[in-house]
Amino acid sequence: MTNEILVVGDISPETQAAATGVVKALEKAFNTKDPIALSEQFAQKTSWSNAMGTRLDGREAIAEFSAPAMKGLLRESYARYDIVKLLEIAPDVIAVNVAQTPTDGSGDPVEDTRGAALYVIAKHMDGWKIVAGQNTAIEAPSA
């Protein structure tokens, strides 16, 4: 499934690929339940609010929170992350809107809570990283 991405601003193909790489690495880490790989997509100094409304400040806090969640509450949760919009905020700073679709372990969509995420991704010496983010849970539509 190919989605059209709305690009706002003068975002080079290289920057678009870098932002996409961060989102896809985050998706892979979530789906493989790897809290270290997930946290490595965030800058050392970061602020992230998860879908439950918990704010986590710093890469270590994200890893510490994610490890037990991935072994417990989220162990059977999987998702596909589709970039909806890229917005240039400043040179080397991109806001990324992501639609999160719940899937089964094979990647097939399932009826469950969806997510809408906003990640601010910036270029650092160690690559592109999420510096701020917010996930919002969206209830599955009723039949």
Side-chain angles (χ1 to χ4, degrees), residues 84-95:
V84 177
K85 181 179 179 180
L86 298 171
L87 170 67
E88 181 181 43
I89 297 173
D92 296 331
V93 181
I94 308 298

Side-chain angles (χ1 to χ4, degrees), residues 42-50 54-65 131-133:
F42 291 84
Q44 285 292 342
K45 293 181 180 179
T46 189
S47 183
W48 176 47
S49 294
N50 66 24
T54 303
R55 192 184 79 229
L56 301 165
D57 294 319
R59 185 184 290 169
E60 285 99 30
I62 292 168
E64 288 172 10
F65 181 88
V131 295

Side-chain angles (χ1 to χ4, degrees), residues 5-12 14-20 22-23 83 85-97 118-123 128-133:
I5 298 172
L6 176 61
V7 178
V8 180
D10 187 21
I11 304 172
S12 72
E14 295 80 17
T15 298
Q16 290 181 45
T20 298
V22 170
V23 172
I83 295 176
K85 181 179 179 180
L86 298 171
L87 170 67
E88 181 181 43
I89 297 173
D92 296 331
V93 181
I94 308 298
V96 182
N97 292 100
L118 173 63
Y119 301 120
V120 178
I121 300 176
K123 188 174 185 180
W128 289 83
K129 302 292 179 186
I130 299 169
V131 295

Side-chain angles (χ1 to χ4, degrees), residues 99-132:
Q100 298 167 327
T101 302
T103 68
D104 61 21
S106 300
D108 294 321
V110 297
E111 288 301 318
D112 202 351
T113 302
R114 296 180 174 278
L118 173 63
Y119 301 120
V120 178
I121 300 176
K123 188 174 185 180
H124 285 72
M125 290 183 64
D126 60 342
W128 289 83
K129 302 292 179 186
I130 299 169
V131 295

